[in-house]
Amino acid sequence: MNPESQLTRYPTRRTLLRTAAVAAVTVPALAGCVTSGSDDEPAAESGVEKTADNPLGVKTDAPLEVVVFKGGYGDDYAIKAEAAYTAKYPQAKVDHKGLQKVGEAMQPRFVGGNPPDVVDNTGAGRLDIGTLVTAGQVSDLADLLDAPSLDQPGKKVRDTLLPGVIDDGTFAGKTVALNFTYTVWGLWYSKSFFASRQWQYPKTWAEMLTLCAEIKKTGVAPWTYQGKYPEYINDPLLTMAAKAGGLDLIKAVDNLQPGAWKQEGLVQAATAFAELAGQGYLMSGSEALSHTESQAAWCQKKAALIPCGSWLESEQKGVAPAGFDMVMGTVPSLTASDKLPGAAIQAASSESFLVPAKAKNVAGGKEYLRYLFSKESATAFAQANSTLPAVEGATDGLTLSSGLGSVRDAVTAAKTDTLTYRFRTWYGPLAKAVDDATGELVNKRISPADWSTRIQKAADALAKDTTVTKYTR
């Protein structure tokens, strides 16, 4: 894959979580128009009786319009689900649109009160979900979640989803989006390269520092990172902090509690990454590198470790040499007294599907999502895209690549010990403030104490801003 095509895919791999700052740009234009129609009643449900065979009351001949973000994953997976839908409802005509600028195309339709029935609200410039929720423009998906799974007997749709998926799409107590892919963040390394040097992936931060010293002696940089996008190195820092301080630490951060960024776990994690930089364990020049450049250097074995989400393997096809065998390692524990186990992972779902409240065929939109989130559909997606879907068991029985296999194993080992921060999707400006501060930290321009003070100041300002809708968890 050439760098230009990878740059095109960059927003798709960040999706709901990685493009928060970009999406925030669309908010003013959208908020001013969409909210103006928020007093209107949403489109009525079909009025068709709900039965065991038709649990959502779909009108069998009602047209269905589906808009899908056609990014790095393409849209074949969505088209296959549409084919399954029409096999069940042959009288229903499906209008499929694969787009790259979903927000730009959909904003006037939401404003005009004629949105499609399903929207994959993903990619750079997507519609701001918080604004849509505040304006009453998205349907509550509770009845879909309580409907029977299409191909897992005895289970409701909600019971087939991986940990955190429902929470990721829940705003103000209502689940209004379902995310189709499942992203896990960790530290990536070449299994074959490590084996050839007899390096062991560390379980604790103390072991990490010992390993880094060993690696540095060989002339290889222990770490590199995507310096132009400091959110990448922010992820392991925040994961370590969450392991140290537990879920209460995350809630305090997301709920904008006073002093949240001064918590011991966060300061300790910042101190650890300051030490990583101070010891010279980051590859020289990493700060100036894009994601494609740093990842290419890592594939060339100029650095042993790189932080990234689980899209990395797919993104590096054509770049990683044969036999590189990349795998993702779980972020090491910070201390022996961490509140979360070492197997805990930062994970969240993305590729966000919603059903507009004013859609003409709300029941059909939800039924389409029941087909999309079936195990058969998710398995086909995993095979085609080397990416973990949000449906539990979708990769069972498949022969997986080294990277996807390591991600699946990490999810299995974590069980219910998954964590995610919500401030990135809720508050784009705060996410940018955190990323910028971490970039300064790992380049030795501010201290860990300055890091926490700087971010706390941004969080406090946000908490006092009455123009921003606040969320809690």
Side-chain angles (χ1 to χ4, degrees), residues 19-50:
T19 56
V22 178
V25 175
T26 69
V27 174
L30 182 62
C33 298
V34 173
T35 54
S36 65
S38 61
D39 291 333
D40 297 337
E41 288 296 321
E45 295 279 359
S46 65
V48 175
E49 182 183 359
K50 296 181 180 181

PDB file of all heavy atoms in Angstrom, residues 19-50:
ATOM      1  N   THR A  19     -11.207  10.558  15.417  1.00  0.00           N
ATOM      2  CA  THR A  19     -11.443  11.782  14.661  1.00  0.00           C
ATOM      3  C   THR A  19     -12.294  12.777  15.434  1.00  0.00           C
ATOM      4  O   THR A  19     -12.951  13.623  14.862  1.00  0.00           O
ATOM      5  CB  THR A  19     -12.136  11.484  13.322  1.00  0.00           C
ATOM      6  OG1 THR A  19     -13.352  10.774  13.582  1.00  0.00           O
ATOM      7  CG2 THR A  19     -11.247  10.696  12.404  1.00  0.00           C
ATOM      8  N   ALA A  20     -12.259  12.707  16.756  1.00  0.00           N
ATOM      9  CA  ALA A  20     -13.118  13.577  17.559  1.00  0.00           C
ATOM     10  C   ALA A  20     -12.868  15.051  17.270  1.00  0.00           C
ATOM     11  O   ALA A  20     -13.799  15.836  17.104  1.00  0.00           O
ATOM     12  CB  ALA A  20     -12.887  13.302  19.046  1.00  0.00           C
ATOM     13  N   ALA A  21     -11.600  15.436  17.178  1.00  0.00           N
ATOM     14  CA  ALA A  21     -11.302  16.843  16.951  1.00  0.00           C
ATOM     15  C   ALA A  21     -11.765  17.286  15.572  1.00  0.00           C
ATOM     16  O   ALA A  21     -12.226  18.404  15.379  1.00  0.00           O
ATOM     17  CB  ALA A  21      -9.799  17.088  17.108  1.00  0.00           C
ATOM     18  N   VAL A  22     -11.628  16.387  14.574  1.00  0.00           N
ATOM     19  CA  VAL A  22     -12.077  16.719  13.226  1.00  0.00           C
ATOM     20  C   VAL A  22     -13.582  16.886  13.205  1.00  0.00           C
ATOM     21  O   VAL A  22     -14.129  17.823  12.635  1.00  0.00           O
ATOM     22  CB  VAL A  22     -11.644  15.616  12.233  1.00  0.00           C
ATOM     23  CG1 VAL A  22     -12.166  15.943  10.840  1.00  0.00           C
ATOM     24  CG2 VAL A  22     -10.129  15.493  12.200  1.00  0.00           C
ATOM     25  N   ALA A  23     -14.288  15.960  13.851  1.00  0.00           N
ATOM     26  CA  ALA A  23     -15.744  16.008  13.843  1.00  0.00           C
ATOM     27  C   ALA A  23     -16.259  17.262  14.508  1.00  0.00           C
ATOM     28  O   ALA A  23     -17.281  17.815  14.113  1.00  0.00           O
ATOM     29  CB  ALA A  23     -16.306  14.780  14.545  1.00  0.00           C
ATOM     30  N   ALA A  24     -15.560  17.740  15.521  1.00  0.00           N
ATOM     31  CA  ALA A  24     -16.021  18.908  16.255  1.00  0.00           C
ATOM     32  C   ALA A  24     -16.134  20.135  15.363  1.00  0.00           C
ATOM     33  O   ALA A  24     -16.903  21.047  15.634  1.00  0.00           O
ATOM     34  CB  ALA A  24     -15.069  19.203  17.417  1.00  0.00           C
ATOM     35  N   VAL A  25     -15.390  20.144  14.260  1.00  0.00           N
ATOM     36  CA  VAL A  25     -15.444  21.276  13.354  1.00  0.00           C
ATOM     37  C   VAL A  25     -16.826  21.422  12.736  1.00  0.00           C
ATOM     38  O   VAL A  25     -17.268  22.511  12.413  1.00  0.00           O
ATOM     39  CB  VAL A  25     -14.381  21.102  12.238  1.00  0.00           C
ATOM     40  CG1 VAL A  25     -14.485  22.202  11.209  1.00  0.00           C
ATOM     41  CG2 VAL A  25     -12.995  21.083  12.861  1.00  0.00           C
ATOM     42  N   THR A  26     -17.539  20.299  12.575  1.00  0.00           N
ATOM     43  CA  THR A  26     -18.830  20.336  11.910  1.00  0.00           C
ATOM     44  C   THR A  26     -19.955  20.757  12.853  1.00  0.00           C
ATOM     45  O   THR A  26     -21.055  21.006  12.407  1.00  0.00           O
ATOM     46  CB  THR A  26     -19.192  18.954  11.330  1.00  0.00           C
ATOM     47  OG1 THR A  26     -19.451  18.047  12.400  1.00  0.00           O
ATOM     48  CG2 THR A  26     -18.090  18.432  10.458  1.00  0.00           C
ATOM     49  N   VAL A  27     -19.679  20.831  14.144  1.00  0.00           N
ATOM     50  CA  VAL A  27     -20.752  21.042  15.110  1.00  0.00           C
ATOM     51  C   VAL A  27     -21.489  22.362  14.956  1.00  0.00           C
ATOM     52  O   VAL A  27     -22.708  22.379  14.940  1.00  0.00           O
ATOM     53  CB  VAL A  27     -20.218  20.905  16.555  1.00  0.00           C
ATOM     54  CG1 VAL A  27     -21.292  21.278  17.548  1.00  0.00           C
ATOM     55  CG2 VAL A  27     -19.754  19.481  16.807  1.00  0.00           C
ATOM     56  N   PRO A  28     -20.803  23.519  14.827  1.00  0.00           N
ATOM     57  CA  PRO A  28     -21.557  24.761  14.794  1.00  0.00           C
ATOM     58  C   PRO A  28     -22.597  24.811  13.682  1.00  0.00           C
ATOM     59  O   PRO A  28     -23.739  25.202  13.905  1.00  0.00           O
ATOM     60  CB  PRO A  28     -20.451  25.815  14.586  1.00  0.00           C
ATOM     61  CG  PRO A  28     -19.236  25.195  15.177  1.00  0.00           C
ATOM     62  CD  PRO A  28     -19.354  23.736  14.843  1.00  0.00           C
ATOM     63  N   ALA A  29     -22.217  24.418  12.468  1.00  0.00           N
ATOM     64  CA  ALA A  29     -23.153  24.457  11.348  1.00  0.00           C
ATOM     65  C   ALA A  29     -24.311  23.500  11.565  1.00  0.00           C
ATOM     66  O   ALA A  29     -25.463  23.805  11.279  1.00  0.00           O
ATOM     67  CB  ALA A  29     -22.425  24.120  10.051  1.00  0.00           C
ATOM     68  N   LEU A  30     -23.999  22.346  12.094  1.00  0.00           N
ATOM     69  CA  LEU A  30     -25.037  21.334  12.295  1.00  0.00           C
ATOM     70  C   LEU A  30     -25.966  21.725  13.432  1.00  0.00           C
ATOM     71  O   LEU A  30     -27.189  21.642  13.310  1.00  0.00           O
ATOM     72  CB  LEU A  30     -24.374  19.991  12.612  1.00  0.00           C
ATOM     73  CG  LEU A  30     -25.308  18.807  12.801  1.00  0.00           C
ATOM     74  CD1 LEU A  30     -26.085  18.554  11.522  1.00  0.00           C
ATOM     75  CD2 LEU A  30     -24.515  17.582  13.190  1.00  0.00           C
ATOM     76  N   ALA A  31     -25.394  22.188  14.524  1.00  0.00           N
ATOM     77  CA  ALA A  31     -26.208  22.483  15.700  1.00  0.00           C
ATOM     78  C   ALA A  31     -27.215  23.582  15.419  1.00  0.00           C
ATOM     79  O   ALA A  31     -28.362  23.522  15.852  1.00  0.00           O
ATOM     80  CB  ALA A  31     -25.314  22.891  16.869  1.00  0.00           C
ATOM     81  N   GLY A  32     -26.809  24.589  14.676  1.00  0.00           N
ATOM     82  CA  GLY A  32     -27.692  25.700  14.422  1.00  0.00           C
ATOM     83  C   GLY A  32     -28.915  25.325  13.611  1.00  0.00           C
ATOM     84  O   GLY A  32     -29.962  25.949  13.730  1.00  0.00           O
ATOM     85  N   CYS A  33     -28.771  24.282  12.776  1.00  0.00           N
ATOM     86  CA  CYS A  33     -29.874  23.898  11.899  1.00  0.00           C
ATOM     87  C   CYS A  33     -30.662  22.712  12.431  1.00  0.00           C
ATOM     88  O   CYS A  33     -31.882  22.736  12.481  1.00  0.00           O
ATOM     89  CB  CYS A  33     -29.323  23.558  10.509  1.00  0.00           C
ATOM     90  SG  CYS A  33     -28.514  24.941   9.691  1.00  0.00           S
ATOM     91  N   VAL A  34     -29.938  21.678  12.842  1.00  0.00           N
ATOM     92  CA  VAL A  34     -30.638  20.469  13.275  1.00  0.00           C
ATOM     93  C   VAL A  34     -31.505  20.738  14.483  1.00  0.00           C
ATOM     94  O   VAL A  34     -32.643  20.293  14.558  1.00  0.00           O
ATOM     95  CB  VAL A  34     -29.625  19.346  13.592  1.00  0.00           C
ATOM     96  CG1 VAL A  34     -30.335  18.160  14.190  1.00  0.00           C
ATOM     97  CG2 VAL A  34     -28.916  18.922  12.317  1.00  0.00           C
ATOM     98  N   THR A  35     -30.982  21.480  15.440  1.00  0.00           N
ATOM     99  CA  THR A  35     -31.755  21.701  16.657  1.00  0.00           C
ATOM    100  C   THR A  35     -33.006  22.522  16.406  1.00  0.00           C
ATOM    101  O   THR A  35     -33.941  22.475  17.188  1.00  0.00           O
ATOM    102  CB  THR A  35     -30.903  22.404  17.723  1.00  0.00           C
ATOM    103  OG1 THR A  35     -30.357  23.601  17.162  1.00  0.00           O
ATOM    104  CG2 THR A  35     -29.789  21.514  18.199  1.00  0.00           C
ATOM    105  N   SER A  36     -33.035  23.242  15.286  1.00  0.00           N
ATOM    106  CA  SER A  36     -34.204  24.059  15.015  1.00  0.00           C
ATOM    107  C   SER A  36     -35.439  23.220  14.772  1.00  0.00           C
ATOM    108  O   SER A  36     -36.553  23.680  14.953  1.00  0.00           O
ATOM    109  CB  SER A  36     -33.949  24.950  13.790  1.00  0.00           C
ATOM    110  OG  SER A  36     -33.797  24.155  12.627  1.00  0.00           O
ATOM    111  N   GLY A  37     -35.233  21.967  14.387  1.00  0.00           N
ATOM    112  CA  GLY A  37     -36.385  21.104  14.147  1.00  0.00           C
ATOM    113  C   GLY A  37     -36.590  20.088  15.237  1.00  0.00           C
ATOM    114  O   GLY A  37     -37.324  19.122  15.069  1.00  0.00           O
ATOM    115  N   SER A  38     -35.974  20.269  16.387  1.00  0.00           N
ATOM    116  CA  SER A  38     -35.998  19.240  17.422  1.00  0.00           C
ATOM    117  C   SER A  38     -37.341  19.116  18.123  1.00  0.00           C
ATOM    118  O   SER A  38     -37.578  18.149  18.828  1.00  0.00           O
ATOM    119  CB  SER A  38     -34.903  19.526  18.454  1.00  0.00           C
ATOM    120  OG  SER A  38     -35.142  20.771  19.069  1.00  0.00           O
ATOM    121  N   ASP A  39     -38.244  20.098  17.918  1.00  0.00           N
ATOM    122  CA  ASP A  39     -39.548  20.003  18.568  1.00  0.00           C
ATOM    123  C   ASP A  39     -40.531  19.144  17.768  1.00  0.00           C
ATOM    124  O   ASP A  39     -41.598  18.795  18.251  1.00  0.00           O
ATOM    125  CB  ASP A  39     -40.140  21.405  18.744  1.00  0.00           C
ATOM    126  CG  ASP A  39     -39.355  22.219  19.769  1.00  0.00           C
ATOM    127  OD1 ASP A  39     -38.757  21.598  20.660  1.00  0.00           O
ATOM    128  OD2 ASP A  39     -39.345  23.445  19.640  1.00  0.00           O
ATOM    129  N   ASP A  40     -40.161  18.814  16.526  1.00  0.00           N
ATOM    130  CA  ASP A  40     -41.051  18.002  15.705  1.00  0.00           C
ATOM    131  C   ASP A  40     -41.097  16.575  16.225  1.00  0.00           C
ATOM    132  O   ASP A  40     -40.115  16.048  16.747  1.00  0.00           O
ATOM    133  CB  ASP A  40     -40.578  17.981  14.246  1.00  0.00           C
ATOM    134  CG  ASP A  40     -40.627  19.370  13.626  1.00  0.00           C
ATOM    135  OD1 ASP A  40     -41.391  20.199  14.142  1.00  0.00           O
ATOM    136  OD2 ASP A  40     -39.891  19.602  12.643  1.00  0.00           O
ATOM    137  N   GLU A  41     -42.232  15.922  16.028  1.00  0.00           N
ATOM    138  CA  GLU A  41     -42.337  14.525  16.420  1.00  0.00           C
ATOM    139  C   GLU A  41     -41.560  13.666  15.432  1.00  0.00           C
ATOM    140  O   GLU A  41     -41.639  13.878  14.226  1.00  0.00           O
ATOM    141  CB  GLU A  41     -43.812  14.088  16.417  1.00  0.00           C
ATOM    142  CG  GLU A  41     -44.622  14.675  17.548  1.00  0.00           C
ATOM    143  CD  GLU A  41     -44.135  14.187  18.902  1.00  0.00           C
ATOM    144  OE1 GLU A  41     -43.781  13.005  19.018  1.00  0.00           O
ATOM    145  OE2 GLU A  41     -44.099  14.990  19.838  1.00  0.00           O
ATOM    146  N   PRO A  42     -40.799  12.657  15.900  1.00  0.00           N
ATOM    147  CA  PRO A  42     -40.105  11.768  14.988  1.00  0.00           C
ATOM    148  C   PRO A  42     -41.105  10.921  14.213  1.00  0.00           C
ATOM    149  O   PRO A  42     -42.249  10.765  14.604  1.00  0.00           O
ATOM    150  CB  PRO A  42     -39.243  10.905  15.928  1.00  0.00           C
ATOM    151  CG  PRO A  42     -39.914  10.995  17.252  1.00  0.00           C
ATOM    152  CD  PRO A  42     -40.527  12.352  17.310  1.00  0.00           C
ATOM    153  N   ALA A  43     -40.622  10.393  13.077  1.00  0.00           N
ATOM    154  CA  ALA A  43     -41.488   9.568  12.234  1.00  0.00           C
ATOM    155  C   ALA A  43     -42.036   8.385  13.019  1.00  0.00           C
ATOM    156  O   ALA A  43     -41.348   7.792  13.845  1.00  0.00           O
ATOM    157  CB  ALA A  43     -40.701   9.075  11.024  1.00  0.00           C
ATOM    158  N   ALA A  44     -43.289   8.063  12.771  1.00  0.00           N
ATOM    159  CA  ALA A  44     -43.924   6.968  13.495  1.00  0.00           C
ATOM    160  C   ALA A  44     -43.325   5.642  13.078  1.00  0.00           C
ATOM    161  O   ALA A  44     -42.846   5.476  11.959  1.00  0.00           O
ATOM    162  CB  ALA A  44     -45.421   6.980  13.211  1.00  0.00           C
ATOM    163  N   GLU A  45     -43.355   4.663  13.986  1.00  0.00           N
ATOM    164  CA  GLU A  45     -42.951   3.311  13.632  1.00  0.00           C
ATOM    165  C   GLU A  45     -43.960   2.738  12.641  1.00  0.00           C
ATOM    166  O   GLU A  45     -44.992   3.340  12.356  1.00  0.00           O
ATOM    167  CB  GLU A  45     -42.858   2.454  14.898  1.00  0.00           C
ATOM    168  CG  GLU A  45     -41.783   2.899  15.868  1.00  0.00           C
ATOM    169  CD  GLU A  45     -40.383   2.411  15.495  1.00  0.00           C
ATOM    170  OE1 GLU A  45     -40.260   1.698  14.479  1.00  0.00           O
ATOM    171  OE2 GLU A  45     -39.435   2.755  16.191  1.00  0.00           O
ATOM    172  N   SER A  46     -43.682   1.596  12.115  1.00  0.00           N
ATOM    173  CA  SER A  46     -44.441   1.076  10.976  1.00  0.00           C
ATOM    174  C   SER A  46     -45.902   0.785  11.280  1.00  0.00           C
ATOM    175  O   SER A  46     -46.734   0.786  10.384  1.00  0.00           O
ATOM    176  CB  SER A  46     -43.773  -0.215  10.489  1.00  0.00           C
ATOM    177  OG  SER A  46     -43.861  -1.218  11.486  1.00  0.00           O
ATOM    178  N   GLY A  47     -46.228   0.519  12.529  1.00  0.00           N
ATOM    179  CA  GLY A  47     -47.595   0.136  12.866  1.00  0.00           C
ATOM    180  C   GLY A  47     -47.878  -1.329  12.596  1.00  0.00           C
ATOM    181  O   GLY A  47     -48.981  -1.819  12.854  1.00  0.00           O
ATOM    182  N   VAL A  48     -46.903  -2.066  12.085  1.00  0.00           N
ATOM    183  CA  VAL A  48     -47.054  -3.496  11.814  1.00  0.00           C
ATOM    184  C   VAL A  48     -46.897  -4.275  13.112  1.00  0.00           C
ATOM    185  O   VAL A  48     -46.044  -3.954  13.941  1.00  0.00           O
ATOM    186  CB  VAL A  48     -46.005  -3.960  10.781  1.00  0.00           C
ATOM    187  CG1 VAL A  48     -46.075  -5.471  10.583  1.00  0.00           C
ATOM    188  CG2 VAL A  48     -46.196  -3.231   9.458  1.00  0.00           C
ATOM    189  N   GLU A  49     -47.711  -5.276  13.287  1.00  0.00           N
ATOM    190  CA  GLU A  49     -47.655  -6.095  14.508  1.00  0.00           C
ATOM    191  C   GLU A  49     -46.311  -6.803  14.609  1.00  0.00           C
ATOM    192  O   GLU A  49     -45.802  -7.361  13.633  1.00  0.00           O
ATOM    193  CB  GLU A  49     -48.782  -7.135  14.492  1.00  0.00           C
ATOM    194  CG  GLU A  49     -48.816  -7.999  15.755  1.00  0.00           C
ATOM    195  CD  GLU A  49     -49.892  -9.077  15.692  1.00  0.00           C
ATOM    196  OE1 GLU A  49     -50.620  -9.132  14.674  1.00  0.00           O
ATOM    197  OE2 GLU A  49     -49.987  -9.857  16.652  1.00  0.00           O
ATOM    198  N   LYS A  50     -45.750  -6.790  15.808  1.00  0.00           N
ATOM    199  CA  LYS A  50     -44.492  -7.481  16.046  1.00  0.00           C
ATOM    200  C   LYS A  50     -44.767  -8.944  16.355  1.00  0.00           C
ATOM    201  O   LYS A  50     -45.634  -9.257  17.171  1.00  0.00           O
ATOM    202  CB  LYS A  50     -43.741  -6.824  17.206  1.00  0.00           C
ATOM    203  CG  LYS A  50     -43.333  -5.385  16.919  1.00  0.00           C
ATOM    204  CD  LYS A  50     -42.573  -4.766  18.090  1.00  0.00           C
ATOM    205  CE  LYS A  50     -42.164  -3.324  17.775  1.00  0.00           C
ATOM    206  NZ  LYS A  50     -41.399  -2.699  18.882  1.00  0.00           N
TER     207      LYS A  50
END
